[in-house]
Amino acid sequence: MDQATVHHASCGCGALSVVAHGEPARVLLCSCTTCQKRTGSALGITALWPQDSVVVTGPSTKWVRAGQGGRVIDQHFCATCGTTLWWRGDFAPGMTCVAGGCFEETDFLDPGHAYWVSRRPAWFANCDRIASSETQG
């Protein structure tokens, strides 16, 4: 286990957390409808590590679901705040997946592939033309 680089992720209330050692083996984007429902967004960002490089702390509730392609995914979420923090699935044997948006810092995430791009909402192509602000207010 690489101790030099450590990435911390947690759920919204902090009761469930992940410490991932080393850099992720892969980072991907997914716009399948099940990831859209999981995130409440147009896509999910997933960082994958070998299982022995990830330490999970805190209680989680497991929900087993079928992904868009029919593969089985064991999602683990916080029973208090509902954040899906990590999962394992048939699509990546021996790996632990962590929700990209749950990391304390996200600059290290560099997606190498996007899946189910045909499932993105039509407005997604216009993101560079949407008015933007640094804060909400």
Side-chain angles (χ1 to χ4, degrees):
M1 191 179 308
D2 176 10
Q3 299 293 336
T5 304
V6 179
H7 299 286
H8 298 270
S10 64
C11 65
C13 72
L16 179 60
S17 63
V18 164
V19 175
H21 297 271
E23 295 302 330
R26 288 189 296 163
V27 177
L28 56 93
L29 306 177
C30 185
S31 293
C32 75
T33 54
T34 49
C35 281
Q36 289 179 17
K37 288 180 181 183
R38 177 182 61 79
T39 63
S41 185
L43 57 84
I45 304 169
T46 303
L48 294 87
W49 276 269
Q51 287 180 14
D52 64 354
S53 296
V54 176
V55 178
V56 177
T57 305
S60 68
T61 300
K62 181 170 85 168
W63 179 53
V64 179
R65 69 170 177 90
Q68 188 91 33
R71 298 179 186 157
V72 175
I73 299 171
D74 294 345
Q75 288 185 185
H76 293 262
F77 63 94
C78 176
T80 301
C81 69
T83 303
T84 301
L85 182 59
W86 67 278
W87 56 94
R88 293 186 178 133
D90 291 349
F91 66 93
M95 304 297 277
T96 298
C97 304
V98 183
C102 293
F103 284 97
E104 291 175 4
E105 68 85 17
T106 57
D107 286 344
F108 75 95
L109 297 170
D110 186 16
H113 198 89
Y115 294 92
W116 295 96
V117 295
S118 64
R119 300 284 201 271
R120 288 181 181 164
W123 57 260
F124 191 83
N126 299 322
C127 284
D128 60 339
R129 292 182 275 164
I130 296 172
S132 300
S133 302
E134 274 303 310
T135 60
Q136 187 178 17

